[in-house]
Amino acid sequence: MPLVGTASPSASDLRSRLLESPAALLDTTMDQLRTLVLVHEVGTALAAARSLGREQSSVQKQIDTLNRNFERLCGEPLVIKQGRGKNVLFTDSGELFVEIARNTLRDWLDGVHESRRLRGETITVGTTRFTLGFLANAGEHVAGEFAERGVELRVTHLRTRELIGALRTKQADLVCGSVLVGGGENALADVDVLEWRRSGLSLVTNLSAEQLPNRPMLASQLHALPLVIPASGLISGFLRGWFGPDYREKLDIAAEIDDVRYGFDLLRSELLHGCMIVTRGVGEAADDGRLPEGRGLRTVDLVNDVGPKMHVLVGAFTRRGERQSYGADHPLNLLWRALELENTRWKRGEHRPAVAS
């Protein structure tokens, strides 16, 4: 005997599925989805209401509506109250739909941002602390036009090791900072480069001139000094290229740091006596007073005599070919030309930013 009923539409027939979407699902708003995700993250309707700047009753109403609708759709509510002051309990369906809601909102937000970026309504620039001065000077040239056109300029702080990755993942449209070049790896194969300078490394030290004379130091002599080095990033790339992946076993590393400012503080405190390896631009800035953290410390140039030729390239970077796909008045091209102008002025000696790595 044949079964009697309505045949379900094929899962591949999206149009049929959309036309037959249940009203309880179609009535769900993005605002409700956002509330659901926030309640999941902070635990209670009260905490979510505080995050949203709303009354608790408003948030609770949204959760109650979602519960009714999804209990009708799935057979169970999304959340279950656990009593006053306790975090709500998410059911299996609740956990599933929170993840769907989170991905849905992320996709829409990313899509809106990408659309605005392509249309030139927003631009995101990443910069290290030491190249912020270049960006600030260039920003003065475009600030008026950006304001008149309503272009949103977003600035995000990046560490040196994050620069090129931020371009590749589209976290930034343009980045300013330092990268390691040489040593057999072409880190800049997929980016356009506005080069400001190339340099090597220096040592910033609290050792006396008797312990470390005021003359260039050879890399082959580093093993004789207590060193302060970053745990990762550009400096460790140099050391890895010069001494191999086991460079920590070959050198006297007195301290590993995550922030060069901490390294300056450490040396000035005299808790240890030694040398911090920095880019030459940072060393120069510390030596001539443009970097207050370096007050009272000496700078000695570091000369490579042990490994492949490598250097620090300081500049601005964008994804290769992207600027050419836009018109001349696109914010990315306007800011790039402003950075070119600042680079020319700096090389002519017309001004000097706080630090050039």
Side-chain angles (χ1 to χ4, degrees):
M1 181 176 179
L3 293 174
V4 178
T6 303
S8 299
S10 168
S12 62
D13 189 353
L14 178 59
R15 184 171 65 178
S16 295
R17 297 183 71 192
L18 290 174
L19 292 173
E20 297 180 9
S21 299
L25 178 62
L26 295 178
D27 289 341
T28 302
T29 67
M30 287 194 175
D31 189 30
Q32 291 173 337
L33 296 182
R34 180 179 66 162
T35 297
L36 181 69
V37 172
L38 281 174
V39 170
H40 187 269
E41 291 184 354
V42 300
T44 66
L46 177 59
R50 288 172 177 166
S51 300
L52 292 166
R54 294 179 178 175
E55 295 294 330
Q56 180 182 358
S57 58
S58 172
V59 170
Q60 190 61 56
K61 183 178 179 180
Q62 287 186 316
I63 295 300
D64 291 342
T65 299
L66 288 171
N67 265 353
R68 286 194 305 271
N69 289 343
F70 279 85
E71 189 165 14
R72 193 180 310 142
L73 290 168
C74 307
E76 69 174 343
L78 301 182
V79 302
I80 299 173
K81 294 180 183 178
Q82 292 292 92
R84 187 177 181 84
K86 294 183 179 179
N87 288 357
V88 297
L89 173 67
F90 277 75
T91 64
D92 290 343
S93 294
E95 293 289 350
L96 171 65
F97 286 108
V98 162
E99 189 60 25
I100 292 173
R102 185 179 286 114
N103 291 334
T104 297
L105 290 168
R106 182 186 298 116
D107 288 347
W108 273 92
L109 289 170
D110 288 348
V112 169
H113 175 73
E114 181 66 5
S115 177
R116 294 188 69 222
R117 187 185 70 80
L118 293 174
R119 290 171 55 84
E121 294 183 8
T122 183
I123 179 173
T124 302
V125 182
T127 177
T128 64
R129 175 179 179 239
F130 296 123
T131 52
L132 184 58
F134 279 102
L135 177 62
N137 290 335
E140 294 178 2
H141 297 289
V142 298
E145 183 166 353
F146 278 18
E148 183 178 343
R149 292 169 50 182
V151 175
E152 179 186 9
L153 173 62
R154 299 180 180 181
V155 180
T156 181
H157 173 232
L158 296 174
R159 295 182 182 273
T160 299
R161 61 178 177 268
E162 301 169 333
L163 283 174
I164 304 304
L167 285 179
R168 290 171 179 156
T169 58
K170 293 192 175 180
Q171 296 177 53
D173 304 303
L174 182 151
V175 296
C176 302
S178 305
V179 297
L180 171 63
V181 294
E185 181 180 350
N186 186 4
L188 305 178
D190 55 351
V191 300
D192 287 332
V193 181
L194 171 57
E195 182 177 324
W196 294 336
R197 66 174 289 180
R198 294 184 183 226
S199 67
L201 302 181
S202 295
L203 298 174
V204 174
T205 185
N206 59 5
L207 297 176
S208 68
E210 289 74 23
Q211 294 170 298
L212 182 64
N214 285 317
R215 60 173 181 266
M217 178 82 178
L218 297 178
S220 59
Q221 300 172 313
L222 283 177
H223 68 278
L225 297 172
L227 299 176
V228 177
I229 64 170
S232 61
L234 188 148
I235 302 300
S236 61
F238 269 92
L239 297 178
R240 193 176 297 109
W242 288 348
F243 302 106
D246 58 343
Y247 65 87
R248 288 178 174 83
E249 300 172 12
K250 300 176 180 178
L251 301 172
D252 179 10
I253 298 177
E256 283 193 315
I257 57 174
D258 286 328
D259 191 312
V260 69
R261 289 171 295 186
Y262 182 80
F264 279 116
D265 291 342
L266 188 60
L267 290 176
R268 290 177 63 190
S269 74
E270 298 194 348
L271 285 172
L272 65 81
H273 290 81
C275 304
M276 178 169 63
I277 304 178
V278 298
T279 62
R280 188 159 295 162
V282 171
E284 291 171 353
D287 209 33
D288 62 21
R290 286 179 290 129
L291 199 60
E293 294 94 329
R295 192 178 299 114
L297 302 174
R298 291 188 303 122
T299 298
V300 175
D301 281 345
L302 182 59
V303 178
N304 173 26
D305 67 332
V306 296
K309 184 177 181 181
M310 297 182 288
H311 52 266
V312 180
L313 191 157
V314 189
F317 311 89
T318 60
R319 288 178 287 275
R320 175 152 293 178
E322 184 168 13
R323 290 183 303 104
Q324 292 79 4
S325 68
Y326 300 138
D329 62 345
H330 189 281
L332 183 59
N333 283 319
L334 294 177
L335 186 56
W336 186 266
R337 288 198 296 274
L339 287 165
E340 287 178 326
L341 176 61
E342 283 305 307
N343 185 40
T344 300
R345 291 180 59 200
W346 175 60
K347 288 182 175 178
R348 289 175 179 169
E350 295 179 21
H351 73 91
R352 200 173 191 184
V355 182
S357 298

